[in-house]
Amino acid sequence: MTEPTTAARVPHASRHGGQVGAPDEAAEERFSDGSRVLALVITGPLFYTGVGWAVDHFWLHTGFLPAVGLLLGAVLSGVMFYRRYRDQA
């Protein structure tokens, strides 16, 4: 069997703006935005649930503050999401 030529093994450079293996910047930016949104949606409620639990456990002993923290974190995450991405719609 014959070995393929060098030209057949090297990726075409013009597809990547002249650089072989260069990432697609638009796809990378979309991935980055998706990661930011996911982090925002997860960390807001998680953080405020933790704050609610800590205040409830160490200070007030009421039993419902983690749920209040979860709702507050979800609302604040939604507000931050809206403010950050409202111009990109």
Side-chain angles (χ1 to χ4, degrees), residues 5 11 17 19 23 29 35 41 43 50 53 56 62 65 71 77 85 87:
T5 63
Q19 296 177 348
E29 186 174 326
S35 297
V41 168
T43 57
W53 174 84
D56 191 50
T62 60
L65 285 181
L71 294 174
S77 290
Y85 294 105
D87 297 332

Side-chain angles (χ1 to χ4, degrees), residues 10-25:
V10 175
H12 197 279
S14 66
R15 288 187 301 185
H16 302 293
Q19 296 177 348
V20 175
D24 180 14
E25 291 180 16

Side-chain angles (χ1 to χ4, degrees), residues 48-64:
Y48 282 103
T49 300
V51 169
W53 174 84
V55 169
D56 191 50
H57 183 74
F58 294 112
W59 189 31
L60 297 178
H61 309 289
T62 60
F64 66 88

